[in-house]
Amino acid sequence: QVQLVESGGGLVQAGGSLRLSCAASGRTFSRYGMGWFRQAPGKEREFVAAISGSGGIRNYTKLLKGRFTISRDNAKNTLALQMNSLNAEDTAVYYCAASQSRDGLRSSASEYDYWGQGTQVTVSS
């Protein structure tokens, strides 16, 4: 069992930036592929980005158009999501997740085994 805790959410003006963090417990963090998902009211949870256990492979939904960057620091057991040029469509609860598959290619929620509690991101116009 791995515990995940997101932080860094909040209210931001359209066009601004925000950096989300996810702290993971345990001593085998690098054995998990990690991902970010988001969910808006009335919508299904959707894939945002994924990263392999070593950090060498990154995968993004093309809907982001290059605005977001996923990264990890295995020495600190942390995952991050840098979000730039935010707009109202980015408003959602953002979740970090861990997968027993380490390839960084998993884009479905069902492929992840552990989830954080989520952090709210609200973009105002």
Side-chain angles (χ1 to χ4, degrees):
Q1 189 82 223
V2 58
Q3 305 294 320
L4 304 172
V5 181
E6 301 95 335
S7 62
L11 177 65
V12 64
Q13 191 76 17
S17 298
L18 203 62
R19 185 177 180 86
L20 304 183
S21 295
C22 176
S25 66
R27 292 177 285 273
T28 57
F29 180 59
S30 65
R31 295 187 181 185
Y32 295 92
M34 299 295 296
W36 285 101
F37 290 77
R38 66 186 183 185
Q39 187 167 22
K43 296 185 177 180
E44 290 189 337
R45 190 166 301 187
E46 66 176 358
F47 171 73
V48 176
I51 188 168
S52 62
S54 67
I57 298 175
R58 301 178 185 186
N59 185 29
Y60 301 90
T61 173
K62 293 191 176 183
L63 297 176
L64 295 175
K65 300 184 184 300
R67 296 183 295 115
F68 291 8
T69 302
I70 188 172
S71 62
R72 68 191 296 164
D73 185 342
N74 288 342
K76 299 291 185 181
N77 278 24
T78 56
L79 175 76
L81 183 69
Q82 178 66 46
M83 306 185 293
N84 299 322
S85 301
L86 288 164
N87 57 62
E89 295 180 354
D90 297 315
T91 295
V93 176
Y94 284 71
Y95 299 88
C96 68
S99 174
Q100 294 179 35
S101 297
R102 293 180 283 177
D103 56 16
L105 303 176
R106 310 297 164 164
S107 59
S108 297
S110 63
E111 297 177 300
Y112 288 80
D113 305 288
Y114 307 102
W115 294 83
Q117 83 290 342
T119 185
Q120 177 70 49
V121 172
T122 303
V123 184
S124 63
S125 59

